[in-house]
Amino acid sequence: MIDVTLLGTGSPMVDPNRAGPSTLVKAGDSLFLVDCGRGVLMRAAAAGVGAANITALLLTHLHSDHITDLSDVITTRWVTTFVPTPLPIIGPPGTKAVVDATLAALAPDISYRIGHHPDITEPPSIQVHEYASGQVWDDGGVRITAAPTDHRPVEPTLGFRIEHDGVAVVLAGDTVPCAGLDDLAKGANALVHTVIRADLVEQMPVQRIRDILDYHSSVEQAAATAARAGVGTLVLTHYVPPLVPGQEDQWRAKAATEFSGPVEIGNDLLQVSVGN
Ligand SMILES: [Zn+2]
Ligand SMILES: [Zn+2]
């Protein structure tokens, strides 16, 4: 089994009830944090996971909502790890520059803590690995493959396929339907896809909000991707506009126009266990 927990189902829009985009994937003994939006470590704590427990951080892209709490992940990992353990961060080209800039912004804090705690002698240990596609992880019985997605003009962007013990979960990130994602998701047991309700967003009076239609999949488009790839379960997240509790069936009905399999949708901390 692979366990998927939606830590944050929100979007750039601040929502008192939804953390920013982030998904936790437990495969074997490994815990992968995919994106690290607003409030991610609060939700991870609610799921019983601390920053020190994270095996690796995967970033689908460098849009602010997906990396808001990168500094929190780096710092909290650093100060709660008693045997220094590097944090692997895997992301698209450009990730290293963002991590380096984050560490630069943290320089005063890093100096305060090294100065104050005798047992903290080194700055946070981060291993950044940038990929445009291909295998990005093979350890602990877990293999992870990345493929380019289409979130233009934001590029490069990645989807990830996490495989363990014959089970595969694909995380699409933000993307419109594209061949890279179709190939990556082929035959996966579950596809976790960020979605917007195009029918609602196109009616919004603010142009800046309607602009997001350009580079996200609607619920129907995500469902069509799931159908083309023949995935087992479609997991929807990153709801724009925010999902109103009680209206889950409206979203499921949109997905059902294209995909006949099970569709999971819900609030932060929704857990979906995926197996054969
Ligand atoms: Zn994005
Ligand atoms: Zn996003």
Side-chain angles (χ1 to χ4, degrees):
M1 300 290 273
I2 294 179
D3 294 324
V4 174
T5 306
L6 303 183
L7 294 181
T9 60
S11 71
M13 298 179 200
V14 178
D15 184 324
N17 300 310
R18 297 188 190 279
S22 183
T23 304
L24 183 72
V25 178
K26 182 175 190 301
D29 294 328
S30 301
L31 280 167
F32 298 95
L33 188 62
V34 184
D35 294 333
C36 52
R38 180 186 297 128
V40 59
L41 290 185
M42 292 172 63
R43 291 292 188 263
V49 171
N53 307 123
I54 295 164
T55 307
L57 170 63
L58 312 180
L59 298 178
T60 60
H61 64 302
L62 303 172
H63 244 158
S64 59
D65 53 318
H66 294 250
I67 59 167
T68 322
D69 282 8
L70 179 61
S71 70
D72 192 18
V73 171
I74 288 173
T75 301
T76 306
R77 162 77 160 213
W78 177 52
V79 299
T80 59
T81 303
F82 294 90
V83 177
T85 312
L87 174 65
I89 300 180
I90 294 165
T95 300
K96 184 161 186 345
V98 168
V99 170
D100 286 348
T102 302
L103 287 168
L106 288 167
D109 179 80
I110 290 169
S111 72
Y112 304 149
R113 295 184 195 281
I114 289 177
H116 182 213
H117 302 289
D119 65 339
I120 298 181
T121 57
E122 298 289 334
S125 176
I126 313 287
Q127 294 171 341
V128 179
H129 306 278
E130 295 183 343
Y131 292 95
S133 65
Q135 184 170 302
V136 305
W137 188 267
D138 187 7
D139 192 38
V142 180
R143 201 158 63 102
I144 305 179
T145 312
T149 54
D150 184 354
H151 190 39
R152 286 174 291 171
V154 180
E155 58 183 337
T157 56
L158 298 175
F160 294 105
R161 181 183 180 108
I162 301 179
E163 294 175 276
H164 170 70
D165 215 8
V167 178
V169 170
V170 171
L171 299 110
D174 292 355
T175 181
V176 295
C178 63
L181 179 60
D182 281 2
D183 289 347
L184 188 72
K186 198 144 284 175
N189 299 80
L191 171 65
V192 182
H193 208 310
T194 76
V195 285
I196 66 170
R197 279 281 296 274
D199 59 312
L200 300 178
V201 171
E202 64 197 8
Q203 289 175 26
M204 292 193 178
V206 181
Q207 174 69 42
R208 197 174 290 175
I209 293 181
R210 291 197 306 275
D211 287 344
I212 68 172
L213 289 162
D214 298 346
Y215 59 9
H216 287 89
S217 290
S218 65
V219 176
E220 295 89 335
Q221 287 174 319
T225 296
R228 277 195 307 279
V231 308
T233 299
L234 174 62
V235 184
L236 303 180
T237 189
H238 190 293
Y239 315 123
V240 182
L243 169 67
V244 177
Q247 294 185 357
E248 291 83 355
D249 284 349
Q250 282 185 18
W251 294 66
R252 281 200 192 90
K254 297 264 172 213
T257 62
E258 301 288 342
F259 177 68
S260 59
V263 177
E264 298 278 355
I265 183 169
N267 297 328
D268 289 8
L269 296 172
L270 175 73
Q271 189 185 316
V272 181
S273 292
V274 181
N276 281 310

